[in-house]
Amino acid sequence: MNCSLNITAIVVAAGSGSRFGSDVPKQFCDLDGVPVVVRAIDALRSSVDGLKVIVVVSAAEMERWRGIAEACGLGGITVAVGGTNRWESVRNGLSLVGDDADIVLIHDGARPLVDAATVRRVVDAAIAGDGAIPAVAVTDSLRLMLADGTSEPVDRMAYRAVQTPQGFPAGKLRRAYSLPYSQSFTDDASVMAAAGFTDLRVVDGSVYNIKITHPLDLDVAGLYLRHPS
Ligand code: C5P
């Protein structure tokens, strides 16, 4: 994508990945010869000309990151230190975003297969409103769990599964992240909404843009890489 906007991507890669069950956090695992987070960065960079990238890495994994960056020949990337939760990691990354940024994309370092068309939809919608969220239809049936231990079916057509990158005008995102943390923040869009930025536009994501969560996801992502859509 070639546009006149200044776009910065914050790639959050400071999670410990407890659900993944490995000593190596999932974002640093090998996916067909390239670490997951490097694939995520490369995919974003090849989607937006002149993209600035800030990667957020935990202090404990900084040495591993430096080794990966050197081995993969990654240059021109700013590094921020991660926080104890995703919100704090984003906030730390955001503190390094330049004043000239128009749009900030926030992307999970564990989503290596993001595509240029999704990024374009996010950027176009983000500049027109308070932000943009890529999302896909839910294919499983859904049930709402009630406080008394029972459950009831809900209409899955009314729901979307949210992905990243989410994109926001830089100034609005800074204002939202200047407010205190709340446990209700599940993603960046929820932080924006809590700050009163409610024109958040849902755009089509991609079923291939999976988040590596369990070890099997690496095999699935490898299949997607070898058989692109
Ligand atoms: O745990 P989960 O997969 O939902 O995390 C989403 C993304 O947020 C991952 O890329 C993870 O590395 C990142 N994260 C972070 N700092 C934390 C927790 C999660 O950067 N403290």
Side-chain angles (χ1 to χ4, degrees):
M1 184 168 93
N2 182 350
C3 69
S4 55
L5 297 169
N6 274 316
I7 304 178
T8 298
I10 299 173
V11 178
V12 281
S16 60
S18 47
R19 283 171 295 181
F20 194 72
S22 142
D23 288 346
V24 179
K26 58 191 182 180
Q27 61 272 24
F28 302 122
C29 285
D30 180 277
L31 171 55
D32 273 18
V34 180
V36 167
V37 65
V38 175
R39 286 200 179 273
I41 292 169
D42 286 348
L44 290 172
R45 278 179 151 175
S46 58
S47 300
V48 180
D49 290 345
L51 183 75
K52 291 184 182 135
V53 177
I54 296 170
V55 65
V56 187
V57 179
S58 71
E61 294 294 336
M62 202 53 85
E63 211 174 305
R64 191 194 306 276
W65 163 256
R66 288 206 188 98
I68 286 174
E70 198 181 323
C72 296
L74 286 181
I77 293 181
T78 303
V79 184
V81 179
T84 52
N85 55 39
R86 188 182 185 280
W87 178 87
E88 217 175 284
S89 291
V90 172
R91 193 198 55 186
N92 293 357
L94 192 53
S95 72
L96 300 182
V97 171
D99 291 339
D100 60 344
D102 299 306
I103 292 288
V104 178
L105 299 172
I106 303 173
H107 188 56
D108 291 335
R111 287 187 195 269
L113 301 182
V114 63
D115 62 288
T118 297
V119 175
R120 158 130 252 156
R121 287 190 288 273
V122 169
V123 169
D124 287 348
I127 203 69
D130 290 338
I133 307 158
V136 290
V138 179
T139 52
D140 290 323
S141 293
L142 295 177
R143 293 191 75 82
L144 178 67
M145 303 307 291
L146 302 170
D148 65 2
T150 62
S151 65
E152 60 187 36
V154 292
D155 177 12
R156 70 177 170 207
M157 297 297 286
Y159 292 87
R160 292 289 178 275
V162 165
Q163 304 181 333
T164 70
Q166 298 184 4
F168 308 95
K172 292 176 180 176
L173 186 66
R174 279 199 189 90
R175 266 186 276 158
Y177 268 89
S178 68
L179 299 176
Y181 175 71
S182 154
Q183 284 216 326
S184 67
F185 296 156
T186 53
D187 65 353
D188 309 296
S190 58
V191 179
M192 292 294 280
F197 295 114
T198 51
D199 183 3
L200 300 167
R201 304 179 181 200
V202 175
V203 301
D204 285 340
S206 161
V207 292
Y208 298 101
N209 183 18
I210 59 170
K211 182 170 69 171
I212 305 298
T213 304
H214 303 290
L216 185 63
D217 296 329
L218 280 174
D219 296 326
V220 174
L223 275 176
Y224 287 165
L225 272 176
R226 287 187 288 277
H227 302 283
S229 54

